[in-house]
């Protein structure tokens, strides 16, 4: 629950470092990055979950010059950081588990 504290450019830098860590040093097996963070989904979020997520969005904007993101926005960040595949599991109340694969 870290990336929502950062703007897009810093998220990309953080994720590039993560990708290098799991892909580097001749690691042929690969690996994955696990993220637990908010994914705004206006079509599927229940009203109370949407409100919580949008309140967090306001806090992130005013406190950290950051924001909560929807799946398309996350996908852009993952792609720019060099990840090929991701999976999102919305199992943690207002947070989701995200797996990234190089």
């Amino acid at each position: 629950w870290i990336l929502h504290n950062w703007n897009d450019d810093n998220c990309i830098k953080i994720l590039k470092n993560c990708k290098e860590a799991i892909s580097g040093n001749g690691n042929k097996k690969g690996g994955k990055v696990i993220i637990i963070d908010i994914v705004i989904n206006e079509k599927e979020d229940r009203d109370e979950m949407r409100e919580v997520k949008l309140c967090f969005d306001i806090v992130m904007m005013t406190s950290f010059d950051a924001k909560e993101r929807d799946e398309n926005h996350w996908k852009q960040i993952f792609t720019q950081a060099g990840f090929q595949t991701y999976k999102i599991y919305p199992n943690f109340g207002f947070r989701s588990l995200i797996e990234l694969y190089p």
Side-chain angles (χ1 to χ4, degrees):
W1 205 22
I2 300 296
L3 295 177
H4 73 156
N5 293 356
W6 297 94
N7 64 33
D8 292 352
D9 291 336
N10 285 322
C11 281
I12 292 166
K13 287 178 189 176
I14 292 167
L15 290 172
K16 281 182 178 181
N17 286 332
C18 292
K19 184 177 182 290
E20 182 179 325
I22 64 172
S23 302
N25 298 324
N27 184 359
K28 304 261 184 205
K29 287 184 175 181
K32 65 181 171 184
V33 174
I34 296 175
I35 300 167
I36 296 176
D37 219 321
I38 292 174
V39 178
I40 296 174
N41 186 340
E42 295 196 22
K43 291 180 183 175
E44 294 181 17
D45 286 340
R46 294 186 323 266
D47 289 342
E48 61 273 5
M49 281 299 139
R50 188 175 318 115
E51 281 186 31
V52 169
K53 292 177 180 184
L54 294 176
C55 283
F56 269 97
D57 192 29
I58 291 168
V59 170
M60 292 301 108
M61 284 189 284
T62 58
S63 300
F64 300 105
D65 188 32
K67 59 186 155 193
E68 304 302 349
R69 298 166 174 95
D70 64 15
E71 183 174 352
N72 288 330
H73 198 152
W74 278 118
K75 182 179 179 180
Q76 291 172 356
I77 289 171
F78 302 154
T79 302
Q80 290 178 27
F83 287 91
Q84 302 296 316
T85 307
Y86 69 92
K87 296 178 185 175
I88 297 177
Y89 304 94
N91 297 339
F92 295 99
F94 64 92
R95 294 169 292 175
S96 295
L97 182 131
I98 305 167
E99 295 177 338
L100 300 179
Y101 301 92

